[in-house]
Amino acid sequence: MKKFTRILIANRGEVALRILRAAKELDIETVAVFSEADRNLLHLEYADRKICIGPGPSLQSYLDIPKIISAAEITDVDAIHPGYGFLAENAHFAEICKSCSIEFIGPSVEAIRALGDKGKARELAKKVGVPCVPGSQGILPDDKEALRVAHEFGYPVIIKAVAGGGGRGMRVAHNDVSLVNGFLQARAEAEAAFKNPDVYLEKFIEKPRHVEIQLLADHYGEIVHLGERDCSLQRRHQKVIEESPSPGLPEETRQAMGEAAKKLARAAGYHNAGTCEFLVDREGKFYFIEVNTRVQVEHPVTELVTGIDIIKEQIRIACGEPLGYTQSDIQLRGVAIECRINAEDPANNFKPSPGLITKFQAPGGFGVRVDTHIYSGYRVPPHYDSMIGKLIVHQRTRDEAIATMRRALDELKVEGIATNVPLLKEIFRHFHFLRGKVHTGLIEEYFMG
Ligand code: ADP
């Protein structure tokens, strides 16, 4: 069995530190890359080698493929871990890694191509009998076709970019006028953000839950699912709080979703870690929406309930090791909940608030995990995503997990910049959340005034 000697981490922030920690425990050397705006990143202190790859803006550093490949070649790494965001779902990057004989820690180029495009993933899901949200057959050529499909299924509908991500390139429409406008806006936004204007249409499901299945697959045909995560607590279609298991999800639905996700992954020849996302409507029916062909921000909740280190598994699988366990070995224990801590100002329409963190005090104690790269004296640069860390708790029951999270949020101190912690504290006192009555519109409905 080959083993990696050295890997390059093509990312920054908390996930770079997370990957570095996993690699260290596997006795693998690490190469960190960083932009000129990121000289103060915590993981640079622990990496075996560090290489500056250019100016702050991501296009000139973390998204600059030639620079990352050069750094990998200079340091003679065996593999690159892309983390999430940046190049993590970029098939072209995975292809270049392959042509340079560098292992891309993730699925194959073909699997990224088959599932990374939401339109193609939807077609494959339909073909193998995984239920999809009713909607258009493939991409919409023009607004006339959008109107025709909307009339067929009835309003409201949602226009989505095939290349979309992070809640961008999406528009909800309740009538013909907003549909035509939404069609044009979604196309323009998708072209600007992803250089691909193609959009499709789905029936807009009202007040659904977002429930996703974590998958791990090796190169020898073994695929397991690690249960689900409920990511219904969202603001502008972006996740804020995630938990596992999904409160109140019937066991047979969990199993059916797990099997559907596995079926889709098998059809795409998938290996490594991936997530199959679904919406669950108010009748408890589930519909496939997309696959994320990478590790996700919210992976820790699954790690806590399964005891499986997903990043280590990704590295092991990329090395060619078999999983070494099957579905019946996977047991879910207790309840884990994650809060994303963002440098943004709830009092100012959640505007990003980069700047100097004058004081950071992390919570701790039983059942508390903090995944972050920040420290007192760290300056949050303005160039990147506003997430500065994750607070995760694990307890035997949901009520205990909520009590631990409340206590941890009270202990947490981030001073000098604004954060979303006040909003998180409110949510952990909200009657619907406490009863597990969550849906994707809950934050907008109760907290956005
Ligand atoms: P992205 O890739 O941008 O994250 P997704 O397809 O994963 O986009 O959807 C993100 C969120 O948008 C979902 O969790 C849900 O809240 C909302 N959404 C997407 N499709 C629908 C739909 N058909 N009906 C209702 N809400 C939807």
Side-chain angles (χ1 to χ4, degrees), residues 118 133 158 160 164-168 170 202-205 208 210 234 237 277 279 289-290 440:
K118 293 189 197 190
V133 185
I158 183 166
K160 296 167 77 169
R168 280 177 302 175
M170 246 188 288
E202 284 177 354
K203 174 105 189 112
F204 183 72
I205 306 205
H210 173 117
Q234 305 179 350
H237 305 306
E277 298 191 332
L279 294 179
I289 49 170
E290 68 159 339
T440 58

